[in-house]
Amino acid sequence: MKSNTIHSISIIEIPKIVDDGGRGNLSVIENNSLPFNIERVYYLYDVPSDAYRGGHAHKDLQQFLLPLSGSFDVILKDGGNAKTVTLNKPNKGLLIVPGIWRELGNFSSGAVCLVLASDVYNEDDYIRDYEAFKNYKNV
Ligand code: TYD
């Protein structure tokens, strides 16, 4: 949605099932854990620490980013305000609403970013130019 701001972006905590016998943790995401139906799953890995991913906005797509391993920063911009969120807990993910510019960087060694998306891949849903994004947001 065009009018969304960075204030609509939230952290969703995925319940953690801690094993009594010291066998580690288990977290589960079901379709009703998120405010959208999961239509696509992809993941980023082997990202060099000086590389940036993202650098685009979506018109309609909703995404949930989860740091399955390691950590990375997500820079979020709505054309007016910006903020940076560090994701570093495998059970705390970031729900990004449509109409938000995002850049991912500062990946730790071995970081894996799981992305759950509300739709299949569609290049027409992308805004990949920041000036075009600002025009889209009317700022
Ligand atoms: P890109 O959008 O540049 O990745 P990121 O936002 O993480 O930096 O996508 C990289 C390439 O992968 C580009 O050619 C499009 C392709 N791609 C798909 O084919 N399907 C997908 O679901 C995604 C996310 C990307």
Side-chain angles (χ1 to χ4, degrees):
M1 249 225 306
K2 236 181 224 245
S3 58
N4 279 332
T5 70
I6 54 171
H7 304 297
S8 304
I9 295 165
S10 53
I11 295 281
I12 294 182
E13 187 163 347
I14 306 300
K16 189 199 287 189
I17 302 169
V18 181
D19 188 75
D20 284 346
R23 298 180 305 146
N25 303 327
L26 183 155
S27 289
V28 56
I29 300 168
E30 297 184 321
N31 235 345
N32 61 9
S33 309
L34 299 176
F36 59 82
N37 282 328
I38 300 163
E39 295 290 341
R40 178 168 49 121
V41 177
Y42 66 94
Y43 42 99
L44 303 170
Y45 56 101
D46 289 347
V47 182
S49 58
D50 59 354
Y52 277 92
R53 305 290 316 205
H56 62 252
H58 287 284
K59 296 173 198 161
D60 291 315
L61 191 76
Q62 299 182 69
Q63 288 185 311
F64 182 65
L65 275 54
L66 199 61
L68 280 194
S69 181
S71 67
F72 52 88
D73 294 341
V74 187
I75 300 163
L76 301 154
K77 296 178 183 173
D78 60 19
N81 295 302
K83 70 174 174 182
T84 301
V85 178
T86 299
L87 295 180
N88 57 12
K89 300 237 173 2
N91 71 322
K92 281 190 188 171
L94 189 69
L95 179 69
I96 307 182
V97 294
I100 302 292
W101 187 267
R102 88 288 312 272
E103 287 157 27
L104 281 67
N106 197 22
F107 281 78
S108 69
S109 169
V112 179
C113 172
L114 180 75
V115 183
L116 308 180
S118 64
D119 208 347
V120 296
Y121 176 71
N122 173 14
E123 188 59 38
D124 292 343
D125 189 65
Y126 281 75
I127 304 169
R128 291 192 182 272
D129 177 77
Y130 193 68
E131 287 305 311
F133 172 68
K134 286 201 291 187
N135 286 338
Y136 178 75
K137 300 290 275 185
N138 293 322
V139 295

